[in-house]
C-alpha cells in the first residue's frame, strides 16, 4: 500500500480513487483476494486531507486493513469570458459605472466562484484614450482566471449655460 495519494478533481468537480491507485500488490496463499477502499468518490466538498481505509480480504474471511492519506485537490481554474470592449457613459455627476452582466459574458466553476473588477467607476478624467478593466474570477479553492476589457468612457451630456437676463436702461 502506498503511504499517500493525491486525487485531482476534474472540471465537473469530481475525483475518483480506485484500489489500483493505492494498492501496489496483494496476494493470498490459498485463494484470490478482494481489494477495496472505504472512500472512492470525491467532490468539491471533499477538498483537503482524508484518512482512507484500504482492505484486502480472502475467501476464508481473513481481512487486512491499512490506512492511506489521501489529499483531494481542486486545481482547475474557473471559466471566465468577458466582453472585449464596453462603453461607459458618465452621468451628470461626472461618474459612470457598469453592471457585472455588461462585462461578464460567462463565468463558472464546479466548486463555486466569485468575480471582482479592478474598478467599478469611471470619471471624466477617463474620457480620452482606452481604459483597461481587469476582471478576476476566483473559485472557493483559490484558483484564479482573469480577463481584460477595454472601456471607452463617453460624456454625452451637453453643458448648461445661464445668462444674465437682459434689462432695459
Amino acid at each position: 500500500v502506498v503511504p499517500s495519494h493525491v486525487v485531482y478533481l476534474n472540471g465537473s468537480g469530481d475525483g475518483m480513487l480506485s484500489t489500483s491507485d493505492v494498492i501496489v500488490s496483494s496476494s493470498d496463499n490459498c485463494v484470490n483476494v478482494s481489494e477495496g477502499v472505504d472512500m472512492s468518490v470525491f467532490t468539491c466538498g471533499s477538498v483537503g486531507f482524508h484518512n482512507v481505509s484500504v482492505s484486502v480480504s480472502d475467501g476464508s474471511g481473513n481481512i487486512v486493513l491499512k490506512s492511506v492519506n489521501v489529499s483531494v485537490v481542486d486545481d482547475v481554474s474557473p471559466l471566465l469570458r468577458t466582453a472585449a470592449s464596453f462603453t461607459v457613459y458618465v452621468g451628470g455627476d461626472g461618474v459612470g459605472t457598469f453592471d457585472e452582466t455588461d462585462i461578464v459574458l460567462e463565468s463558472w466553476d464546479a466548486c463555486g466562484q466569485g468575480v471582482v473588477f479592478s474598478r467599478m467607476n469611471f470619471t471624466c478624467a477617463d474620457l480620452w484614450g482606452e481604459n483597461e478593466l481587469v476582471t478576476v474570477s476566483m473559485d472557493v479553492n483559490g484558483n484564479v482566471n482573469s480577463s481584460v476589457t477595454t472601456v471607452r468612457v463617453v460624456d454625452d451630456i451637453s453643458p448648461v449655460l445661464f445668462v444674465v437676463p437682459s434689462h432695459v436702461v
Side-chain angles (χ1 to χ4, degrees):
V1 174
V2 297
S4 64
H5 184 72
V6 178
V7 173
Y8 292 94
L9 299 180
N10 61 25
S12 298
D14 300 315
M16 297 290 295
L17 177 70
S18 69
T19 56
S20 64
D21 292 329
V22 292
I23 296 177
V24 177
S25 69
S26 64
S27 63
D28 187 65
N29 62 333
C30 292
V31 295
N32 291 335
V33 295
S34 175
E35 302 172 339
V37 292
D38 71 338
M39 294 175 64
S40 60
V41 177
F42 299 93
T43 63
C44 293
S46 307
V47 171
F49 296 98
H50 301 274
N51 192 8
V52 176
S53 292
V54 180
S55 64
V56 175
S57 61
D58 65 16
S60 301
N62 299 310
I63 299 174
V64 174
L65 293 173
K66 296 220 176 190
S67 291
V68 174
N69 292 318
V70 174
S71 176
V72 179
V73 176
D74 169 21
D75 64 352
V76 178
S77 295
L79 168 69
L80 177 64
R81 193 169 58 89
T82 61
S85 61
F86 186 72
T87 301
V88 170
Y89 294 87
V90 294
D93 60 354
V95 177
T97 190
F98 58 89
D99 292 324
E100 181 177 320
T101 56
D102 295 329
I103 304 298
V104 178
L105 304 176
E106 188 175 10
S107 179
W108 184 84
D109 187 86
C111 296
Q113 53 79 43
V115 174
V116 294
F117 300 97
S118 57
R119 62 192 287 190
M120 290 298 296
N121 296 321
F122 294 87
T123 67
C124 293
D126 301 309
L127 286 171
W128 297 275
E130 295 179 341
N131 300 281
E132 186 176 272
L133 174 67
V134 179
T135 305
V136 177
S137 178
M138 182 185 309
D139 73 14
V140 297
N141 295 308
N143 299 302
V144 176
N145 196 354
S146 64
S147 182
V148 176
T149 300
T150 301
V151 177
R152 192 179 122 210
V153 180
V154 173
D155 171 16
D156 64 350
I157 298 175
S158 299
V160 177
L161 173 65
F162 297 100
V163 294
V164 176
S166 61
H167 54 279
V168 178
V169 180

